[in-house]
Amino acid sequence: MVGTANNGRMRHAFSVVNGEEEVGLNSVPPSNAGSEYGGFEFTREDVYGLLNERMKYKNKFNYKERCENMMDYIKRLRLCIKWFQELEGGYLFEQEKLQNALDFTESKCAEMDLMLKNKEEELNLIIVELRKSLASLQEKLSKEESEKLAALDSLAREKEARLTVEKSQASLLEEQGKIQGELQSANQRITSVSDMYKLLQEYNSSLQLYNSKLQTDLDTAHENVKRGEKEKAAIVGNLSTLRGQCMSLQDQYNSCKENVLNIRWGRSTIHIPLPRVLRWASVDEVAKQKDTLVNEVASLRAELQQVSEDRDSLLLQVQTLTAEVVNCEELVEKSNELKEKCLSQSNQLKTLQDELEATQNKLRVSDLSVFETKTEFEAQKKLISELQNRLEDAELKIVEGEKFRKKLHNTILELKGNIRVFCRVRPLIPEDSPGSDGKVVSYPTTTEALGRAVELTQNGQKYSFTFDKVFMPAASQEDVFVEISQLVQSALDGYKVCIFAYGQTGSGKTYTMMGKSGNPEQKGLIPRSLEQIFQTRQSLQSQGWKYEMQVSMLEIYNETIRDLLSTKDSSRTEYGSNGKQYAIKHDANGNTLVSDLTVVDVCSTREVSFLLDQASHSRSVGKTQMNEQSSRSHFVFTLRISGVNENTEQQVQGVLNLIDLAGSERLSKSGSTGDRLRETQAINKSLSSLSNVIFALAKKEDHVPFRHSKLTYLLQPCLGGDSKTLMFVNISPDHSSSGESLCSLRFASRVNACEIGIPRRQANMRSFESRLSLG
């Protein structure tokens, strides 16, 4: 049907028998180009049309036309069968490819099994080591530093092992997807071959019916030939009898002609045989005899004419019968040829059936192999799931160990009374100048320094610093908050908590504390801390705890305190907003109070977010050569928490101070003039006072100059009291800022060495006022 004209149109190949997929160079690998029938393709419609095709003839007795059509039909059938054979060869080739892929996958699975077993043993060893390290930490708190190094080492090895296991798991998932795709393709090919076998069976039955029909037509043709021969013999016999009758009549006529006497009677002539003339006596008798003879002659002539006409018709019938006999003989010969062709086609069909049976046997074998592979794959999948469960258990144990380590570390730091310091390095931005000496900031990869040390290069010399935690530029806001979440939680437990960000202008302090508005993933520490506090407050209600929370926000601008939540006229004077002069006071319990400062009761994160937006619009910012939006003041956010447990009558008072310090800058780089110059001078003065306070605390001097600036006086309970204090030092990896980054790191090291005392929890069993003083 493909490649030949059918009713004046050309059929085009489209979806084939095997599941309505196009068969071309991609689905049948061995090409049939150069074969006996050329590069033809058959579609489902083509095969159905070929099987259901009915012969149409102008004259059903035209056997020559019928034979030509039958020859054309048989040729197309051969073309279809040849195409099926080539398609089967392609499927066998694909089956071999699938078998090779399955063997390769099995070997891969075996290798991965060995790798997973090795990794499992390594994980078990690591878990045992972690348990030993945890037991030693619980028994000997005095040797925490050495045990902490061992735990870090084991944690690094565990991370590497987890990464390798994740990679192996990903590769196994990829292999699983490939095997599933190959199984689906094999199933599609099996269904296509089964459909093809059904079509061939139907085609075989149709050929058998057609063969029986041809046999019946041949028998009828033989009977017609025999009947024609019998009719021909009868016609020849009738013709011979008629010829004998005609000869006898001719003889009678001649004899009558010789023995008749011609007598004229009037205008007519009477022929009377001579013997009768003697016996007739009268003229009347002669006339009567004449009339009878004339009548007999006329009847004989009519009979002779009828006989001649019958003879002509019989001759025509004989000629037609002879032609039919010749045609019948030709038909007999053609029917014999058709019989031979039908026999050859039946033999070909038998061979095709044998090939189909062999193909089915091969498919059964392949099905068995696929089933075995599938069972092995399921077993491997179960094993992988078991290993994944074990890995999850190991990860949970690691997380628990890490939490316990952090808890012990926090406990040790609280016992020491040191200020914790976290270092965060911001990523490079397009505005940064490219350095010719390579990277300015690097991170040691040794076990002791991993995640805790940072190195800064200036003028070819390296400076190393170690802190409680170092965040690389790739660290997200979530990663940073996870490290301080326990410290924020302490505010709900009744502790004073202070977290402040320090660094030069443009190092990322405000981004760390406030984040980027409109993007939930880039929220800073202040919004995340508030979310955690309100979520924990909600969860503690089931235990009988009820909390009241109050928020205040202020900024120190040019050594002047400004209330950022004031709802009155926001005109600025030399004493702050609305002409008020805010005073900082400390009581005997170490609490700090700012007079006339606006304090707002809050019940949800949404209310605090609204207040933060209001404060950010009121805060003083300006543009310098180092930063487009530089904070020109110190921002202090205070959350005062008072809680009572109705079941135990226990009361707690906690304070959370989150501070975004203004950035230190050099006049030569910032290019500040006018108001910006005065702002820079005030910022640098207050930060210098903070440095003096830190130096005095580090040297344990008797007098600490807290009153030299409003900032240090406000932070006095955090730096020299009983609060939990954490400092973020933000540095820039820009080559031109290496000097300021070095100064910031040195200052952070001094801060980390300061001992401010053991934090004290504010909890009692007495009633307390609704408002707590600022910590």
Side-chain angles (χ1 to χ4, degrees), residues 134-154:
L134 289 175
S136 62
L137 282 172
Q138 291 175 354
E139 294 175 355
K140 298 178 181 180
L141 290 176
S142 60
K143 296 181 180 180
E144 189 274 342
E145 189 66 28
S146 60
E147 294 297 329
K148 181 178 66 175
L149 296 176
L152 286 174
D153 189 10
S154 62

Side-chain angles (χ1 to χ4, degrees), residues 502-522:
Y502 177 89
Q504 70 179 97
T505 298
S507 60
K509 301 182 301 300
T510 304
Y511 176 78
T512 299
M513 300 303 294
M514 299 295 293
K516 188 175 182 180
S517 60
N519 192 340
E521 294 182 356
Q522 298 185 14

